[in-house]
Amino acid sequence: MRALVAMGLCGGLLALMPAPGAAAEGKPAELKRVGDEIAAGKNATGEECRLRLVFSSKETPPAQRLSLYCEGWNAPSGEISRFRASSELPPERLLADSPWQKQFSQRLTGCGSTERTTLLGGVPAALQQCQRSEGGWPVVVVAASVGPRVYTFETFPTNLRVLERAAEILEGRRQAEQAQGSASMFSDAIRRAETIVGVSGKLIGIQDMGAADTLWELGKRYFRAGNRSSAEAAFRRVLEIHERLLGPGSPSLGLVLMELAVTASVQGRFAEADQIFARAAPLVEKSLAPDDQGQLVAYRSWHEQHQGRFPEAVALAQTSIALRERAGREESGGVAHSQATLAHALAGLKRYDDAADAAERALRYFDAPGHSWEWRMWWAGEMRDLLGQMLRDQKRFAEARAQFEKGLRRRELMFGESPRVARSHLSLGRLARAEGDMPAALLSFRRAAEIQIKNRAAREAATVSLVTPYLDALLDAAQAAPGQRQALHAEAFAAAQIPRGSETTRALQAMATRVAAGDPALAGVVRGLQDAGRRRDALRSALAQETLKLAEQRDAAREEQLRARYREAEEQAEVFETRLQAQFPRYARLTAEPPATVAEIAPLLRPGEAVAAFLVSSAETLVFLVRDGETHAHRAKITRRTLEREVKGLRASLDLSGGVERPFDVAAAHRLYTLLLGPLADRLAGVTHLIAVPSGPLLSLPLGVLVTRPPTSPAATDYRSTTWLVSDRAISVLPSVASLRDLRAVASPSVAPRPFIGFGDPALGGAAGETGAVSSLAALCRQGEPVDAAVLRALPRLPETARELRRIAQVLGADAGSVVLGADATEARVRAADLSRYRVVAFATHGLLPGELQCQSEPALVLTPPAVASATEDGLLDASEVAQLKLDADWVVLSACNTAGPDGRLGGESLSGLTRAFFYAGARAVLATHWAVASHATVWLTTGMLGLYAREPALGRAEALRRSQMALAGDLPTAHPFFWAPFILVGDGGGGS
């Protein structure tokens, strides 16, 4: 994926020199200074090209080298060198044994036999057909003798005629303004090169290859900076280009698939990564690039490390080292990369001495002057950070700080404010805590948090594990200084909002992409922001490369020019960011929602309201309560794994799908309440509306089912006397604390003229209770393409939803045409309806959530599948499509959704992504269900709730739901929480709206 790099020639056999005086046909073009250019005409695919002088020696004999740049690509797509050689040196020798051959053989592979040919109207030449080591693109190398001079060419076949034309201009055989046309474009060398490549080779333009190379470098840069989602998007586009141009069996795809696999792995999508690695392996076997096999094994080692399987990772890293040593890849850094991989794996096993030895061996290569900036900036910084972590664990604090600070300087120079730099500050914060220096620790943690909030990529990469050390420090500091407790708890409340789940992040990214694509004005601002950001990042990298050069090689004027251009790009990015915030504030919050502070939230809370926010980590669960302007926090001693087990257990006792009522585990529900909210019971006294912001496993459990008093008889099956959390307080749920800020900003009720529209009972063919189709969907790996309509069609039909929707329509006074069922309930019908005219919008159908669809990046609602699926109509209304709807709805009702997959995996995070989409579209509240419930209970509850709210809107939506739930809970046949507990109100549930 690397651009054709400049080719320097060693001294001895050859020396670069400019062309001599004017030939008879005209005066040679003069390129005197580096950067001078001349037009070279169009290549075989119609792209305008130009030749740029990139090297000119003032020594004797003088030297020159020129790069070819073609339209649509800002990286060189070919090179010409001119040099004096012995008149007895044939061109074939240059392709077989010369300093030039040794250099191009490092970039190219699979070169065929040398063929004699001619260029420049009959000048003797030799040609080889090769492939780029990275990318597999077809490349030709040609050498031609012109009297005492030799021309060498390295380019893609479509450009050979342009380079020949350029050589004619340089020789004075053609004027620069006459770059187009001539019989020379049909020289033997050109005909032979294009014949070898074939018709498809002629049609591969620089824009295709240039786009692939640019995207490849962009993906690598994103990955190094920690922006994994953007890296994945870039690599997927590279894969599409390669598959289209070179075919799905091309060995070049192996390298792209490797990057995709490790990118999926580092995001925790391990099964998907396994599939991609499996596809890459046979392609890598066919690759002619000597390093690919060793790189694949190294990437598999990283994959094992991400899963915590360090013994397997060590074995793979050692195998990778052996493969690369046999391939002789020391000079390219391949062995050093594998040593770095081994160092990380050994550190995972706490074999610190061995890990440090491997890291130092890698660093000796990475830090060596003259090596690529990638090694010196990226991998050297990674090794410094790893060494710092190991030294910290060994309490060698001064040495650890030295390593961390060296790594931070490298990362700041290369990436600026980015996820990697945030991680460096986090490492320094953890070190300061280990040293017992709390002020220094908080200073570093706060700097990391500033970057995570400001930088979109850093926010997306901010996992719970990266934020909990900061939260622990704040809560410990609050305990040690009671006078600062309120301020520190408020700071922790805001910091706890930084991380968001991976499924939510992916859903929001997909939504943002689709929303921007549907609005030309928004798309222009987003594109401008992205372009300015890429220019800024590229210029920062270029500036970093300059600063790494040896002192005698540094160019002060170029450095200052790069700094000026970098500042300009940074200012442009800020201008576009300001425009985005001002003109499209909802979109800006969708992509980078900042945490809401207590100072912002407290004035929005009405009397009797409180916000309870939860953050579940691997070690404990943090609970925050904001009420009456004060913040209270406590650490519940329940880990994520234990909490997930408890939630699954409670949900199992709520699953009556087999038709047999199971006893609800009241004791477990009380135990969970005691752990999570028991310590805040005094603060909850008098709260009539609890606004909950759950996370992790709690997203899959309606909090109202928690029990506030111990059961009098654990075996009792009459639940009417049970004291539920929802018994004396209404509960609503928010996908984020900050969403309260947005929802209360548009708290006025809907002005839509019509009461209701509902879509349900899609035309599906599966039998009731049939789970095979859901299992088939779970096995799919959907990556943006439509789902097979036949798979969706096999889902169980939901005929009872028709009655439910008709009954709601009747209660709300809507006409019969407001209920859309069966074959009419399609995506097209939803999009065609003016949904902004309805106060209540309902979807009574299956909800498919990530976890049920293995690689589905968005939650979706099932509608009637089309005869043939397409990109715009496949029977799934994705969250990104929901976000493009235009609503003015007080309520969106989603029934038959399920926040746990067929394997029991909890998927409440995905429901959060779906509700965000409805909020973006204009809904004020979403009524959703955590499991499919009995039809009669659903009808009774939804009609009762909507009717009550229509009559008394001052009650609030959450209170209307609570009263309907308690009516069911107070009736013996429906007292089991299976009937009333699955319903949750997501959004603004307060009264007076």
Side-chain angles (χ1 to χ4, degrees):
M1 312 312 145
R2 190 177 295 123
L4 286 173
V5 295
M7 300 177 291
L9 294 174
C10 303
L13 178 65
L14 307 171
L16 293 174
M17 63 169 289
E25 291 83 349
K27 183 179 180 181
E30 294 190 15
L31 298 173
K32 296 181 179 179
R33 294 172 300 184
V34 170
D36 284 353
E37 294 184 356
I38 57 171
K42 293 183 178 180
N43 62 14
T45 46
E47 297 155 340
E48 290 284 356
C49 301
R50 63 194 187 279
L51 203 64
R52 179 187 301 172
L53 182 64
V54 296
F55 176 79
S56 182
S57 171
K58 298 178 182 179
E59 299 176 358
T60 302
Q64 280 188 323
R65 186 171 65 251
L66 304 103
S67 291
L68 183 71
Y69 288 82
C70 292
E71 181 183 8
W73 195 15
N74 59 4
S77 51
E79 301 282 352
I80 299 180
S81 295
R82 301 184 294 168
F83 42 86
R84 184 182 297 277
S86 168
S87 59
E88 299 178 358
L89 179 68
E92 304 93 274
R93 171 80 178 278
L94 288 165
L95 293 173
D97 183 19
S98 70
W100 173 57
Q101 180 271 334
K102 289 179 173 60
Q103 291 191 19
F104 77 65
S105 65
Q106 294 180 12
R107 297 182 295 275
L108 308 179
T109 188
C111 294
S113 58
T114 300
E115 301 186 30
R116 292 185 179 183
T117 184
T118 60
L119 273 175
L120 303 171
V123 171
L127 175 148
Q128 277 186 345
Q129 169 73 21
C130 305
Q131 290 181 337
R132 289 255 301 277
S133 296
E134 291 189 6
W137 301 113
V139 173
V140 289
V141 287
V142 183
S145 299
V146 186
R149 297 178 306 282
V150 168
Y151 278 79
T152 63
F153 306 80
E154 180 183 335
T155 190
F156 305 113
T158 192
N159 293 325
L160 185 55
R161 59 184 63 186
V162 179
L163 288 184
E164 181 186 36
R165 198 179 301 137
E168 289 180 330
I169 295 171
L170 293 171
E171 281 289 299
R173 300 186 181 192
R174 177 197 301 269
Q175 295 299 309
E177 59 271 15
Q178 298 173 331
Q180 302 294 348
S182 116
S184 71
M185 70 172 57
F186 303 109
S187 67
D188 288 345
I190 292 171
R191 284 197 298 269
R192 183 61 187 140
E194 294 182 352
T195 299
I196 292 172
V197 174
V199 175
S200 63
K202 296 179 187 178
L203 299 179
I204 297 177
I206 298 307
Q207 291 206 27
D208 288 318
M209 291 181 282
D213 276 14
T214 300
L215 287 165
W216 176 260
E217 291 301 328
L218 190 62
K220 297 287 278 188
R221 190 182 306 137
Y222 279 142
F223 188 90
R224 295 175 193 128
N227 187 352
R228 277 55 181 272
S229 58
S230 295
E232 181 178 354
F235 291 141
R236 288 197 181 281
R237 290 177 61 193
V238 174
L239 182 65
E240 182 275 324
I241 293 172
H242 276 254
E243 287 181 321
R244 174 166 48 86
L245 298 178
L246 302 176
S250 171
S252 69
L253 267 65
L255 197 62
V256 187
L257 289 166
M258 276 191 253
E259 296 295 340
L260 268 176
V262 81
T263 304
S265 175
V266 80
Q267 295 178 81
R269 290 157 30 216
F270 302 130
E272 183 181 347
D274 283 332
Q275 293 180 359
I276 302 173
F277 274 127
R279 185 184 169 195
L283 298 175
V284 171
E285 286 287 346
K286 296 189 294 183
S287 174
L288 297 173
D291 196 44
D292 282 5
Q293 188 64 42
Q295 185 169 341
L296 174 64
V297 177
Y299 277 17
R300 283 190 175 277
S301 175
W302 287 110
H303 180 47
E304 295 297 328
Q305 292 181 51
H306 298 152
Q307 298 173 83
R309 299 201 290 247
F310 294 106
E312 295 86 346
V314 168
L316 286 166
Q318 290 170 335
T319 301
S320 175
I321 292 171
L323 286 169
R324 283 172 146 167
E325 285 178 341
R326 285 201 297 270
R329 302 309 293 169
E330 291 91 343
E331 293 184 3
S332 70
V335 171
H337 170 261
S338 293
Q339 291 282 5
T341 304
L342 177 62
H344 273 276
L346 290 167
L349 291 174
K350 300 191 183 303
R351 291 170 53 185
Y352 291 147
D353 289 343
D354 293 336
D357 183 60
E360 293 290 356
R361 287 201 300 272
L363 263 177
R364 281 194 289 273
Y365 180 89
F366 296 146
D367 266 344
H371 285 163
S372 75
W373 70 277
E374 175 187 354
W375 300 122
R376 299 191 65 199
M377 295 297 290
W378 159 246
W379 278 109
E382 289 296 290
M383 289 299 94
R384 298 287 182 199
D385 193 70
L386 177 63
L387 286 168
Q389 292 174 37
M390 292 189 292
L391 290 165
R392 179 195 64 210
D393 289 350
Q394 297 172 79
K395 302 189 185 306
R396 295 160 62 181
F397 298 137
E399 297 170 80
R401 182 168 296 279
Q403 294 290 353
F404 282 139
E405 289 177 345
K406 286 180 182 178
L408 173 61
R409 286 194 293 272
R410 292 285 176 95
R411 288 171 166 176
E412 285 181 326
L413 188 61
M414 186 174 182
F415 301 123
E417 291 189 340
S418 66
R420 290 290 177 185
V421 171
R423 282 176 178 254
S424 287
H425 286 293
L426 287 170
S427 294
L428 285 166
R430 285 191 287 264
L431 174 62
R433 284 226 69 186
E435 293 174 308
D437 189 343
M438 182 65 82
L442 288 175
L443 188 65
S444 293
F445 288 142
R446 285 165 178 155
R447 180 62 185 130
E450 288 172 7
I451 295 172
Q452 289 167 331
I453 293 169
K454 181 180 178 181
N455 182 272
R456 281 185 169 82
R459 181 71 186 277
E460 291 174 1
T463 61
V464 173
S465 63
L466 290 179
V467 176
T468 46
Y470 177 26
L471 296 173
D472 284 339
L474 288 169
L475 296 182
D476 286 348
Q479 191 171 0
Q484 301 177 40
R485 180 173 297 165
Q486 274 299 308
L488 291 168
H489 279 186
E491 183 179 348
F493 174 75
Q497 300 171 49
I498 293 174
R500 58 190 181 194
S502 59
E503 297 295 356
T504 296
T505 297
R506 294 177 72 195
L508 292 178
Q509 289 164 350
M511 275 188 265
T513 300
R514 189 85 66 105
V515 167
D519 184 335
L522 171 59
V525 176
V526 171
R527 187 164 51 250
L529 178 60
Q530 291 171 340
D531 290 345
R534 282 194 285 266
R535 284 195 300 273
R536 177 197 59 208
D537 295 343
L539 287 164
R540 185 193 296 112
S541 295
L543 185 59
Q545 292 181 59
E546 285 296 316
T547 61
L548 280 180
K549 290 180 178 178
L550 298 173
E552 60 271 19
Q553 295 175 342
R554 292 178 65 171
D555 185 334
R558 172 169 167 74
E559 286 186 35
E560 184 52 41
Q561 182 187 48
L562 285 171
R563 285 192 181 91
R565 291 172 61 196
Y566 172 73
R567 287 192 294 269
E568 180 183 351
E570 198 168 37
E571 290 169 2
Q572 287 179 336
E574 290 176 0
V575 167
F576 279 109
E577 180 67 42
T578 301
R579 285 182 59 191
L580 188 68
Q581 298 283 352
Q583 297 176 20
F584 306 98
R586 284 198 307 148
Y587 178 88
R589 289 192 292 273
L590 179 68
T591 55
E593 181 183 66
T597 65
V598 172
E600 291 175 305
I601 292 301
L604 299 177
L605 297 178
R606 297 160 183 151
E609 288 188 329
V611 171
F614 304 81
L615 186 69
V616 183
S617 74
S618 60
E620 60 190 2
T621 298
L622 302 182
V623 185
F624 298 90
L625 186 74
V626 177
R627 183 186 181 188
D628 298 331
E630 293 188 346
T631 311
H632 311 278
H634 87 92
R635 293 182 252 208
K637 300 304 180 183
I638 182 168
T639 66
R640 183 185 184 95
R641 180 174 296 180
T642 302
L643 184 58
E644 183 167 307
R645 186 174 64 248
E646 292 285 335
V647 169
K648 284 185 177 180
L650 284 175
R651 283 185 60 106
S653 69
L654 291 164
D655 182 7
L656 308 190
S657 58
V660 179
E661 185 171 313
R662 302 179 184 179
F664 178 69
D665 195 340
V666 177
H670 176 65
R671 181 171 63 248
L672 198 54
Y673 166 81
T674 302
L675 282 168
L676 296 174
L677 294 173
L680 297 172
D682 290 345
R683 308 291 181 184
L684 284 169
V687 170
T688 57
H689 178 205
L690 182 65
I691 302 169
V693 188
S695 75
L698 291 174
L699 285 162
S700 294
L701 184 74
L703 294 181
V705 82
L706 298 181
V707 176
T708 61
R709 295 176 188 167
T712 55
S713 174
T717 57
D718 184 350
Y719 304 101
R720 288 177 295 177
S721 61
T722 304
T723 308
W724 310 101
L725 182 62
V726 73
S727 293
D728 52 7
R729 63 181 55 83
I731 300 174
S732 60
V733 174
L734 290 178
S736 67
V737 175
S739 58
L740 179 65
R741 179 176 54 198
D742 299 332
L743 289 167
R744 290 275 161 100
V746 289
S748 58
S750 167
V751 295
R754 303 188 66 177
F756 175 76
I757 188 170
F759 303 87
D761 188 20
L764 307 173
E770 172 60 44
T771 61
V774 177
S775 299
S776 296
L777 282 168
L780 290 179
C781 190
R782 183 179 180 226
Q783 299 294 348
E785 68 276 7
V787 166
D788 185 349
V791 177
L792 280 184
R793 204 172 289 116
L795 287 169
R797 189 159 189 180
L798 301 167
E800 68 279 2
T801 61
R803 174 175 171 267
E804 176 187 336
L805 293 176
R806 290 192 183 104
R807 179 64 180 140
I808 295 174
Q810 181 182 9
V811 168
L812 295 179
D815 57 55
S818 65
V819 177
V820 184
L821 303 172
D824 293 330
T826 64
E827 285 187 83
R829 182 66 180 271
V830 170
R831 282 192 286 266
D834 183 359
L835 299 182
S836 66
R837 295 175 54 80
Y838 301 92
R839 297 189 293 277
V840 178
V841 179
F843 293 90
T845 183
H846 296 289
L848 297 180
L849 307 172
E852 291 186 334
L853 286 176
Q854 183 181 20
C855 303
Q856 158 81 312
S857 62
E858 297 182 71
L861 299 173
V862 176
L863 294 169
T864 296
V868 178
S870 66
T872 57
E873 181 91 5
D874 65 353
L876 282 184
L877 187 66
D878 295 322
S880 59
E881 294 171 316
V882 168
Q884 295 180 88
L885 302 175
K886 302 300 180 185
L887 304 178
D888 182 17
D890 283 326
W891 298 87
V892 168
V893 179
L894 305 177
S895 60
C897 287
N898 183 10
T899 62
D903 60 353
R905 175 182 167 183
L906 302 178
E909 186 185 323
S910 303
L911 182 61
S912 174
L914 188 61
T915 56
R916 287 174 190 256
F918 279 108
F919 293 154
Y920 189 88
R924 291 156 181 78
V926 177
L927 181 73
T929 56
H930 275 293
W931 54 85
V933 298
S935 178
H936 71 279
T938 302
V939 172
W940 203 100
L941 186 141
T942 54
T943 55
M945 175 195 68
L946 293 171
L948 180 60
Y949 180 74
R951 294 189 301 272
E952 300 181 61
L955 281 176
R957 300 179 187 88
E959 178 61 18
L961 171 61
R962 188 193 73 82
R963 292 189 183 187
S964 294
Q965 287 179 311
M966 290 301 97
L968 284 173
D971 191 14
L972 183 60
T974 55
H976 192 292
F978 162 78
F979 295 100
W980 58 265
F983 300 92
I984 59 166
L985 187 141
V986 187
D988 189 359
S993 59

